[in-house]
Amino acid sequence: MDPLRIGLYAMPAFFVLMAVEFLSYHFDKDKDVTATTRRRSGISWRDSATNLSIYALGFVLRPLDKFIAVPMVAIAAAVTPLYLSAAHWWVWVLAIVLADLAYYLQHRMSHRIRMFWAAHNVHHSSQYFNLSTALRLSWLIPGSFLSTIGYVGLALIGIPAWLVFLSQAIVLLYQFPIHTERIDRLPRVIEYVFNTPSHHRVHHGANNPYLDKNYAGIFILWDRMFGTFVAEGEPVRYGLTKNIDTHNPIKVNYHEFAAMVTDVWRARTWRGRVGYLFGPPGWRENADTATTVDCEVRQLSTPSAMS
């Protein structure tokens, strides 16, 4: 059950929802921002075109990543002595809940380990936040497939491999409609349990106190449990801490990976080389000046940098 294929089948619904969102901006009569109105970034045709072109290229190229990621889960399912039958409803619930927890852990790693951030920053590089932003997904970044290791655990406890992939797809599809500014706050009980547009706007914020917060897929409870939750308050500034200002899909996809490789190449010690791969974004080789940027740096501020 390939999440990419499910994404293809969902594309008609995606386009309908994106059209509705665009029309809602076009016919929005309350265009004036007041002290009590939450400022919106809106929609840029050029940015949306970049998002769609990145998704289209990913549809063609991303399956190559599956040659390694998919066998990892399949092998785990084949060697484990445990087996949980999908005929039981609770196995489905367990699979989705654990897939969501695995997503939370994977997502958190993607922000705190630069080798994974080199891929994930592509999704954060847009300075807009709308439904097309959800399609801004990286492809063919070496090493990024290792971040899927969390899903191997689901197979090892006996969840069938196909159900692992289906649950992963459900977690990913859930997140498409929460990439919007058109929905403000939902009822309090929903906001407490589930990831919502408000919570995910926080996650895409490049300004404090929003950096490295709200990693949830479906259940925001993970963030509440593990201390990474922040409620939406002050206006959100989307993008990277240092934006890349390009709409070239190739540059958008590879700019941070290129910067990381450059830093590894220029490193003077093996500690530096390892640090630039596995340290947090913003880690520097010089111990006297190295700092871990408050939570997450979404773009390196050094000249080696080419979100």
Side-chain angles (χ1 to χ4, degrees):
M1 187 66 65
D2 186 352
L4 190 61
R5 289 290 176 183
I6 294 179
L8 174 65
Y9 301 147
M11 281 305 293
F14 289 173
F15 281 115
V16 169
L17 290 173
M18 284 188 286
V20 170
E21 183 184 49
F22 170 77
L23 290 174
S24 73
Y25 276 109
H26 181 73
F27 293 107
D28 189 356
K29 303 302 181 183
D30 185 20
K31 298 181 183 297
D32 295 329
V33 177
T34 66
T36 59
T37 304
R38 176 171 51 80
R39 183 179 297 276
R40 301 185 179 103
S41 64
I43 289 179
S44 159
W45 278 107
R46 193 172 182 186
D47 181 80
S48 295
T50 301
N51 297 339
L52 293 174
S53 65
I54 290 173
Y55 186 81
L57 287 169
F59 179 76
V60 175
L61 299 172
R62 200 178 300 116
L64 296 176
D65 291 331
K66 306 299 180 184
F67 280 119
I68 299 177
V70 170
M72 289 170 61
V73 175
I75 292 172
V79 301
T80 182
L82 304 176
Y83 177 74
L84 297 175
S85 174
H88 302 297
W89 66 268
W90 61 267
V91 175
W92 285 74
V93 174
L94 179 67
I96 293 174
V97 170
L98 292 183
D100 196 54
L101 175 59
Y103 175 84
Y104 171 88
L105 298 174
Q106 172 194 359
H107 197 179
R108 190 166 180 173
M109 285 194 305
S110 295
H111 281 255
R112 302 307 302 143
I113 299 175
R114 192 180 180 194
M115 183 172 68
F116 300 149
W117 174 246
H120 185 60
N121 85 95
V122 176
H123 182 63
H124 283 268
S125 59
S126 174
Q127 297 178 55
Y128 295 85
F129 188 78
N130 51 64
L131 292 177
S132 74
T133 309
L135 305 180
R136 195 179 181 109
L137 303 171
S138 64
W139 30 265
L140 291 186
I141 303 292
S144 61
F145 68 89
L146 292 174
S147 64
T148 63
I149 192 69
Y151 297 100
V152 171
L154 278 69
L156 289 176
I157 66 171
I159 297 175
W162 66 267
L163 185 53
V164 174
F165 297 132
L166 177 59
S167 300
Q168 180 187 21
I170 291 172
V171 173
L172 295 176
L173 287 175
Y174 174 90
Q175 294 169 71
F176 176 80
I178 64 175
H179 285 81
T180 184
E181 296 181 290
R182 301 304 294 173
I183 298 175
D184 195 0
R185 302 292 177 89
L186 297 174
R188 185 172 300 179
V189 64
I190 296 177
E191 293 283 341
Y192 189 84
V193 176
F194 295 100
N195 197 10
T196 65
S198 176
H199 297 328
H200 206 58
R201 287 192 290 269
V202 165
H203 179 69
H204 275 255
N207 51 312
N208 280 318
Y210 297 149
L211 290 175
D212 265 7
K213 302 298 180 183
N214 297 5
Y215 297 114
I218 296 176
F219 301 108
I220 199 67
L221 291 173
W222 305 124
D223 288 286
R224 296 185 188 276
M225 290 170 58
F226 299 124
T228 53
F229 173 76
V230 166
E232 185 179 23
E234 64 184 70
V236 181
R237 179 175 65 81
Y238 303 109
L240 307 172
T241 58
K242 183 179 179 182
N243 289 306
I244 57 176
D245 296 323
T246 179
H247 294 284
N248 183 315
I250 306 299
K251 291 183 178 180
V252 170
N253 192 70
Y254 283 111
H255 79 277
E256 175 62 15
F257 179 76
M260 180 185 70
V261 170
T262 299
D263 284 338
V264 171
W265 179 262
R266 293 177 178 177
R268 298 185 299 274
T269 65
W270 278 105
R271 177 180 177 275
R273 297 182 185 100
V274 172
Y276 283 128
L277 287 174
F278 299 103
W283 183 91
R284 307 311 306 160
E285 182 178 22
N286 189 336
D288 295 331
T289 60
T291 58
T292 299
V293 176
D294 186 15
C295 294
E296 170 199 350
V297 173
R298 294 228 157 97
Q299 171 69 14
L300 295 181
S301 60
T302 62
S304 62
M306 292 185 52
S307 232

